[in-house]
Structure formats: C-alpha cells, structure tokens
Amino acid sequence: MPWSKLKNIILAILAVTNLCLLVLVAGQALRSGRMREQARENAILFLRNRGVEVDESMIPQKMNLPPLTVERDLEGEERTASALLGGAVTAESRGGEVYRYYNQSGAVQFHSDGTFSAQLDPSAFPLGADRAAGCLELMGKVGFTGTILEEKGDDLVFRQTWQDWPLFTQQVVLVCRQGSLSAITAGRLLVGRPQEDAGRHTISVATALIDFLNGVSTLGDVCNRIDAIEPGYVTAVSLTGPTVLTPVWRMTTDTGAYQLDLVTGGVIRAA
C-alpha cells in the first residue's frame, strides 16, 4: 500500500479515536453535573424537611471560589505607598516586619499580618463633592477595589474586594475631614497576587448546606429561614508563611448571621 494512503488511514483512525475520547469526557462531565445538581436539590429538600425555608434561586449552582494563598510582597507594598502618596517614597524598617514609607504627602505603614494605616496631608487628597465616590476613586488608583460599607460621622468604612468577591476581613476606616482624606486608620488590606492553593479543596454545595444546618445546631441555635447567602473570603496570616484566603459563605437567617467555611464545613456566628 502506498505510504500516502497508509498515512491517511492512520490520520483517520487518530481522528476517530480523539472524537470518541471527546464524547466520553463530555458524557462524564454531563453525568457529573447532573449528579451535582441532584445532590444540591436533595440538600435543599433536606433543609425544608427540617423546617428551614430557603429560596432555591439564592443557592449557588456550584462552588466558584477556590482556596487561595498570597505571599507578602514588600516591593508591592512600596509601589502601593508610592501610588497613594503620589511620588517617590523613603522606606523605613521599624522592626518586627513593620515597614513605613513616607514623603511630603504623608506616611503609610504595613505590618506582616496585613495591618495597614496611613497619615496623610489633607491638602494632597481632596475628595470632591461626593466623598464616598472620591474615596473609592482614590483607593482604586492605588490598586484597592472595594465598597463603602457604612458612614460613621465623617468617616467611611471601606471593605476590599478581590475580583469582585468581598474580603470580609480586609477593611479600613477612611478618615475624612473638611472634604479631604486625612488618614486611613489601622485595619487590614491585601497586597499581592493571590494564587490557587492546590493543597486545599472546597466542599460541594450539597455538603455545605447540610454542614450549615448541623453547625447551627451545634452552636445551640435554631433558624427557620435563610434570607441571604454572600460568598467571599476570610484571611489568616502566618508569621512565617503566606496569607491564606479561605472561601466562605456569609449566611443571613431569621435568627442571626453565620459564616460557613467552605473548606472545613465549620460554622461560626458572624459579627
């Protein structure tokens, strides 16, 4: 048989084999998706049978937030300080993994646990007529995206987000005086690029719902209705390792708010 014909036959066999593998993988994915959806529906039914009302539309179809870690980035901290203060900064190590950066516009301080604070020259940070919008714009220029949670007199509570997901433990108070930003009081902000943590995995949606009900019962509480579920992250800092970002659900019920750890399934009362 001529080589050209033999080569065409081999290519045809390979194409058919690849097509069969594609169909097999697609079929497995479809079956897996159906099983996941069935498990989710069964968990919702389980809650309802235990007297907990829940709107099915608020329950996520799948887990979208992977566990993450982020290494401390000293160069990134200096860039952040320079961007906030609008120019070159002088770096100062204050011991205990605390670094301070300053110039004529103010000073910014970072701690190893993510604690962040700033003292600013108000004349360098006018906010405009809408101080909340002005603060969000200023924080965005520095690289911190987020939302204003509340106003406390002239001060604003800012909570950071990552890819539009809330970082529940990363928030600061923006101190506004006479139409300008004068300080950012001690709170926590995340600097650096989070990476997926291959060593940790999230539980399924069905498992999360059952763990929530069991966790609330373990706390000695009772709820009859789930009003809202807000996915996001909480952070934990090691003195010798990276910052760990754990996906959670903040769940509001008729009797209180709870935080469900989507890696361990643990439940605590939310502040």
Side-chain angles (χ1 to χ4, degrees):
M1 179 182 295
W3 166 245
S4 59
K5 290 185 177 180
L6 181 60
K7 181 172 69 174
N8 289 338
I9 292 173
I10 293 173
L11 291 175
I13 292 173
L14 290 174
V16 171
T17 301
N18 288 336
L19 180 60
C20 291
L21 289 174
L22 179 61
V23 171
L24 178 62
V25 170
Q28 290 176 338
L30 183 60
R31 286 193 295 273
S32 177
R34 287 175 177 169
M35 291 176 62
R36 183 173 60 243
E37 177 58 25
Q38 185 62 54
R40 173 180 172 274
E41 292 177 358
N42 288 342
I44 293 172
L45 181 60
F46 176 82
L47 262 64
R48 288 172 175 164
N49 288 339
R50 297 302 186 279
V52 180
E53 298 178 20
V54 57
D55 181 353
E56 185 172 348
S57 65
M58 77 170 59
I59 306 297
Q61 294 290 331
K62 61 181 181 178
M63 293 301 183
N64 296 311
L65 304 183
L68 304 169
T69 61
V70 60
E71 297 285 350
R72 187 175 186 184
D73 182 0
L74 293 178
E75 292 182 357
E77 290 177 359
E78 183 169 356
R79 287 194 299 271
T80 297
S82 179
L84 176 61
L85 299 176
V89 294
T90 299
E92 176 186 15
S93 174
R94 314 198 81 180
E97 297 297 316
V98 178
Y99 290 87
R100 181 175 180 266
Y101 305 92
Y102 62 93
N103 64 16
Q104 71 280 0
S105 296
V108 178
Q109 188 161 288
F110 295 89
H111 295 242
S112 60
D113 65 353
T115 299
F116 175 96
S117 61
Q119 295 297 321
L120 308 172
D121 177 0
S123 65
F125 299 93
L127 297 174
D130 187 337
R131 60 179 178 167
C135 283
L136 288 175
E137 181 179 1
L138 177 62
M139 297 297 280
K141 288 180 179 178
V142 179
F144 295 133
T145 59
T147 57
I148 301 297
L149 290 183
E150 61 177 315
E151 297 188 18
K152 294 183 175 181
D154 291 334
D155 302 338
L156 305 173
V157 179
F158 172 87
R159 185 173 70 191
Q160 190 179 2
T161 60
W162 178 78
Q163 294 190 352
D164 294 330
W165 299 106
L167 303 178
F168 294 116
T169 47
Q170 310 305 106
Q171 62 185 52
V172 293
V173 175
L174 307 176
V175 180
C176 304
R177 295 292 182 269
Q178 298 179 345
S180 297
L181 183 64
S182 64
I184 302 175
T185 61
R188 285 186 172 85
L189 291 174
L190 186 71
V191 178
R193 295 184 177 182
Q195 304 293 326
E196 287 197 27
D197 183 354
R200 297 187 302 151
H201 305 279
T202 56
I203 57 181
S204 68
V205 171
T207 300
L209 292 174
I210 295 172
D211 284 349
F212 167 72
L213 187 60
N214 291 335
V216 170
S217 178
T218 299
L219 290 172
D221 296 348
V222 176
C223 71
N224 299 306
R225 186 180 67 249
I226 298 175
D227 295 322
I229 297 177
E230 184 180 16
Y233 284 98
V234 295
T235 64
V237 179
S238 168
L239 295 178
T240 59
T243 297
V244 175
L245 283 76
T246 299
V248 299
W249 283 352
R250 287 285 179 97
M251 305 179 70
T252 304
T253 75
D254 59 319
T255 57
Y258 300 89
Q259 179 176 289
L260 170 65
D261 187 314
L262 298 180
V263 175
T264 67
V267 176
I268 61 173
R269 296 184 184 94

